[in-house]
Amino acid sequence: MYAGRGVGGREIVEDRVRVVIAEDSVLLREGLTRLLTDRGHDVVAGVGDAEALVKTIADLDAQDALPDVVVADVRMPPTHTDEGVRAAVRLRKTHPGLGVLVLSQYVEERYATELLAGSSRGVGYLLKDRVAEVREFVDAVVRVAAGGTALDPEVVAQLLGRSRKQDVLAGLTPREREVLGLMAEGRTNSAIARQLVVSDGAVEKHVSNIFLKLGLAQSDGDHRRVLAVLTYLNS
């Protein structure tokens, strides 16, 4: 069973994550609620616009009942442009321990980088098509709630295409770029090894080389991993 730490350091497990959903489509909002509650999670609130999301989080905070994670659509009323992601960025500033997973119909690079600008901890960006892959979606919610990262492979692929034009990653080999891209999706070394069909030791060596080439000094491993991902995304 997956275990981790949510808001305030309290322990969460895979069958007990507290979620607030912000989605203006009632049908999709109810569908997400059903997906999560069927798997033992608690959807403590569902709202249809960004203003209601910010108010709901403030009300829950006042009750000392913050959720572990917010799942929010990038585009919400009234203009259906960027209200959702703006609210997500705001919540990450006012409630740093709150996990935020945003959903988008298309890859919108600017929104992804803005959401990740402060830290990649407890943040996710998925395409709505990924919701149909129920297990992956639920795993992403749990991972973000526990402070991890969940980035859609399509988002990573687009950011990788942009990064190839920059010099900061020029020293990485193609395999190291591939490993860093999978790190940006929030995958562990073991998961990367399974994806690439190599040993855990081989992945660890690639990760060490990435840290070295990006000039990330020896420190806490998780911290260097976050810095490497941010360098990758912001390059």
Coordinates of all heavy atoms in Angstrom, one line a residue, residues 109-149:
E109 N 1.9 24.8 -22.6 CA 3.3 24.9 -22.0 C 3.4 26.0 -21.0 O 4.0 25.9 -19.9 CB 4.3 25.1 -23.1 CG 5.7 25.1 -22.7 CD 6.7 25.3 -23.9 OE1 6.4 24.6 -24.9 OE2 7.6 26.1 -23.7
R110 N 2.9 27.2 -21.3 CA 3.0 28.3 -20.4 C 2.4 28.1 -19.1 O 3.0 28.4 -18.0 CB 2.4 29.6 -21.1 CG 2.4 30.8 -20.2 CD 2.0 32.0 -20.9 NE 0.6 31.9 -21.4 CZ -0.4 32.3 -20.6 NH1 -0.2 32.8 -19.4 NH2 -1.7 32.3 -21.1
Y111 N 1.3 27.4 -19.0 CA 0.6 27.2 -17.8 C 1.4 26.1 -17.0 O 1.5 26.2 -15.8 CB -0.8 26.7 -18.0 CG -1.7 27.7 -18.7 CD1 -2.8 27.3 -19.5 CD2 -1.5 29.1 -18.5 CE1 -3.6 28.2 -20.0 CE2 -2.3 30.0 -19.1 CZ -3.4 29.6 -19.8 OH -4.2 30.5 -20.4
A112 N 1.9 25.1 -17.7 CA 2.7 24.1 -17.0 C 3.9 24.7 -16.3 O 4.2 24.4 -15.2 CB 3.1 23.0 -18.0
T113 N 4.7 25.5 -17.0 CA 5.9 26.1 -16.5 C 5.6 27.0 -15.4 O 6.3 27.1 -14.4 CB 6.7 26.8 -17.6 OG1 5.9 27.7 -18.3 CG2 7.3 25.8 -18.5
E114 N 4.5 27.8 -15.5 CA 4.1 28.7 -14.4 C 3.7 28.0 -13.2 O 4.1 28.4 -12.1 CB 2.9 29.6 -14.9 CG 2.5 30.6 -13.9 CD 1.4 31.6 -14.4 OE1 1.0 31.4 -15.6 OE2 1.1 32.5 -13.7
L115 N 3.0 26.9 -13.3 CA 2.6 26.1 -12.1 C 3.8 25.5 -11.4 O 3.8 25.4 -10.2 CB 1.7 25.0 -12.6 CG 1.0 24.2 -11.5 CD1 0.0 25.1 -10.7 CD2 0.2 23.0 -12.1
L116 N 4.8 25.2 -12.2 CA 6.0 24.6 -11.6 C 7.1 25.6 -11.3 O 8.2 25.2 -10.8 CB 6.6 23.6 -12.6 CG 5.8 22.3 -12.8 CD1 6.0 21.7 -14.2 CD2 6.1 21.3 -11.7
A117 N 6.8 26.8 -11.4 CA 7.9 27.9 -11.3 C 8.5 27.9 -9.9 O 9.7 28.1 -9.7 CB 7.3 29.2 -11.6
G118 N 7.6 27.7 -8.9 CA 8.1 27.8 -7.5 C 8.8 26.5 -7.0 O 9.9 26.5 -6.5
S119 N 8.2 25.4 -7.2 CA 8.7 24.1 -6.8 C 7.9 23.0 -7.5 O 6.7 23.2 -7.8 CB 8.5 23.9 -5.3 OG 8.8 22.6 -4.9
S120 N 8.5 21.9 -7.8 CA 7.8 20.8 -8.4 C 7.2 19.9 -7.4 O 6.6 18.8 -7.7 CB 8.7 20.0 -9.4 OG 9.7 19.4 -8.7
R121 N 7.3 20.2 -6.1 CA 6.8 19.3 -5.1 C 5.3 19.5 -4.9 O 4.8 20.6 -4.8 CB 7.5 19.6 -3.7 CG 7.0 18.8 -2.6 CD 7.9 19.0 -1.3 NE 7.3 18.2 -0.2 CZ 7.5 16.9 0.0 NH1 8.2 16.2 -0.9 NH2 7.0 16.3 1.0
G122 N 4.6 18.3 -4.9 CA 3.2 18.4 -4.7 C 2.4 19.1 -5.9 O 1.5 19.8 -5.6
V123 N 2.8 18.8 -7.1 CA 2.2 19.4 -8.2 C 2.0 18.4 -9.4 O 2.9 17.5 -9.6 CB 3.0 20.7 -8.7 CG1 4.3 20.3 -9.2 CG2 2.2 21.5 -9.8
G124 N 1.0 18.6 -10.2 CA 0.8 17.7 -11.3 C 0.1 18.4 -12.4 O -0.7 19.4 -12.2
Y125 N 0.3 18.0 -13.6 CA -0.3 18.6 -14.8 C -0.6 17.4 -15.8 O 0.3 16.8 -16.3 CB 0.6 19.6 -15.5 CG 0.0 20.4 -16.6 CD1 -0.3 21.7 -16.5 CD2 -0.4 19.8 -17.8 CE1 -0.8 22.5 -17.5 CE2 -0.9 20.5 -18.9 CZ -1.2 21.9 -18.7 OH -1.7 22.6 -19.7
L126 N -1.9 17.1 -15.9 CA -2.3 16.0 -16.8 C -3.3 16.4 -17.8 O -4.1 17.4 -17.6 CB -3.0 14.9 -15.9 CG -2.2 14.1 -14.9 CD1 -3.1 13.1 -14.2 CD2 -1.0 13.5 -15.4
L127 N -3.3 15.8 -19.0 CA -4.3 16.0 -20.0 C -5.5 15.2 -19.6 O -5.5 14.2 -18.9 CB -3.8 15.5 -21.3 CG -2.6 16.2 -21.9 CD1 -2.3 15.7 -23.3 CD2 -2.8 17.7 -22.0
K128 N -6.7 15.8 -19.9 CA -8.0 15.1 -19.5 C -8.1 13.7 -20.1 O -8.8 12.9 -19.4 CB -9.1 16.0 -19.9 CG -9.3 17.3 -19.1 CD -10.5 18.1 -19.4 CE -10.7 19.2 -18.5 NZ -12.0 20.0 -18.7
D129 N -7.5 13.5 -21.2 CA -7.6 12.1 -21.7 C -7.0 11.1 -20.8 O -7.4 9.9 -20.8 CB -6.8 12.0 -23.1 CG -7.6 12.7 -24.2 OD1 -8.7 13.1 -24.0 OD2 -7.0 12.9 -25.3
R130 N -6.1 11.5 -19.9 CA -5.4 10.6 -19.0 C -6.4 10.1 -17.9 O -6.2 9.1 -17.3 CB -4.3 11.3 -18.3 CG -3.2 10.4 -17.7 CD -2.5 9.7 -18.7 NE -1.8 10.5 -19.7 CZ -1.2 10.1 -20.8 NH1 -1.2 8.8 -21.1 NH2 -0.7 10.9 -21.7
V131 N -7.5 10.9 -17.7 CA -8.5 10.4 -16.7 C -9.1 9.1 -17.1 O -9.4 8.3 -16.2 CB -9.6 11.5 -16.6 CG1 -10.7 11.0 -15.6 CG2 -9.0 12.8 -16.1
A132 N -9.2 8.8 -18.4 CA -9.7 7.5 -18.8 C -8.9 6.4 -18.4 O -9.4 5.2 -18.3 CB -9.9 7.5 -20.3
E133 N -7.6 6.6 -18.2 CA -6.7 5.6 -17.7 C -6.8 5.7 -16.1 O -5.9 6.3 -15.5 CB -5.3 5.8 -18.2 CG -5.2 5.8 -19.7 CD -3.8 6.2 -20.2 OE1 -2.8 6.2 -19.5 OE2 -3.8 6.6 -21.4
V134 N -7.8 5.0 -15.6 CA -8.2 5.3 -14.2 C -7.1 5.1 -13.2 O -6.9 5.9 -12.3 CB -9.4 4.4 -13.9 CG1 -9.8 4.5 -12.4 CG2 -10.6 4.7 -14.8
R135 N -6.4 3.9 -13.4 CA -5.3 3.6 -12.4 C -4.2 4.7 -12.4 O -3.8 5.2 -11.4 CB -4.7 2.3 -12.7 CG -3.6 1.8 -11.7 CD -4.2 1.7 -10.3 NE -3.2 1.4 -9.3 CZ -3.4 1.2 -8.0 NH1 -4.6 1.3 -7.6 NH2 -2.4 1.0 -7.2
E136 N -3.8 5.1 -13.6 CA -2.8 6.2 -13.7 C -3.3 7.5 -13.1 O -2.5 8.2 -12.4 CB -2.4 6.4 -15.2 CG -1.6 5.3 -15.7 CD -1.0 5.7 -17.1 OE1 -0.8 6.9 -17.4 OE2 -0.7 4.8 -17.9
F137 N -4.5 7.8 -13.3 CA -5.1 9.1 -12.8 C -5.1 9.0 -11.3 O -4.7 10.0 -10.6 CB -6.5 9.3 -13.4 CG -7.2 10.5 -12.7 CD1 -6.8 11.8 -12.8 CD2 -8.3 10.2 -11.8 CE1 -7.4 12.8 -12.2 CE2 -8.9 11.2 -11.2 CZ -8.5 12.5 -11.3
V138 N -5.7 8.0 -10.7 CA -5.7 7.9 -9.3 C -4.4 7.8 -8.6 O -4.1 8.5 -7.6 CB -6.6 6.6 -8.9 CG1 -6.5 6.4 -7.3 CG2 -8.0 6.7 -9.4
D139 N -3.4 7.1 -9.3 CA -2.0 7.1 -8.8 C -1.5 8.5 -8.8 O -0.7 8.9 -7.8 CB -1.2 6.2 -9.6 CG -1.4 4.7 -9.3 OD1 -2.1 4.4 -8.3 OD2 -0.9 3.9 -10.1
A140 N -1.8 9.3 -9.8 CA -1.3 10.7 -9.9 C -1.8 11.5 -8.8 O -1.1 12.3 -8.1 CB -1.6 11.3 -11.2
V141 N -3.1 11.4 -8.5 CA -3.7 12.1 -7.4 C -3.1 11.8 -6.0 O -2.7 12.7 -5.3 CB -5.3 11.8 -7.3 CG1 -5.9 12.4 -6.0 CG2 -6.0 12.3 -8.5
V142 N -2.8 10.5 -5.8 CA -2.2 10.1 -4.6 C -0.8 10.6 -4.5 O -0.3 11.1 -3.4 CB -2.2 8.5 -4.4 CG1 -1.4 8.1 -3.2 CG2 -3.7 8.0 -4.3
R143 N 0.0 10.5 -5.6 CA 1.4 10.9 -5.6 C 1.5 12.4 -5.3 O 2.3 12.9 -4.5 CB 2.0 10.6 -6.9 CG 3.5 10.8 -7.0 CD 4.2 10.0 -8.1 NE 3.8 10.5 -9.4 CZ 3.1 9.8 -10.3 NH1 2.6 8.6 -9.9 NH2 2.8 10.2 -11.5
V144 N 0.6 13.2 -6.0 CA 0.7 14.7 -5.7 C 0.3 15.0 -4.3 O 0.8 15.9 -3.7 CB -0.2 15.4 -6.7 CG1 -0.4 16.9 -6.4 CG2 0.3 15.3 -8.1
A145 N -0.7 14.3 -3.8 CA -1.2 14.5 -2.4 C 0.0 14.3 -1.4 O 0.1 14.9 -0.4 CB -2.4 13.6 -2.1
A146 N 0.8 13.3 -1.7 CA 2.0 13.0 -0.9 C 3.2 13.9 -1.1 O 4.3 13.6 -0.5 CB 2.3 11.5 -1.0
G147 N 3.1 14.9 -2.0 CA 4.2 15.8 -2.2 C 5.0 15.4 -3.4 O 6.1 16.0 -3.7
G148 N 4.6 14.5 -4.2 CA 5.3 14.1 -5.4 C 4.9 14.9 -6.6 O 4.1 15.8 -6.5
T149 N 5.4 14.5 -7.8 CA 5.1 15.2 -9.1 C 4.4 14.2 -10.0 O 4.8 13.0 -10.1 CB 6.4 15.7 -9.7 OG1 7.1 16.5 -8.7 CG2 6.2 16.5 -10.9

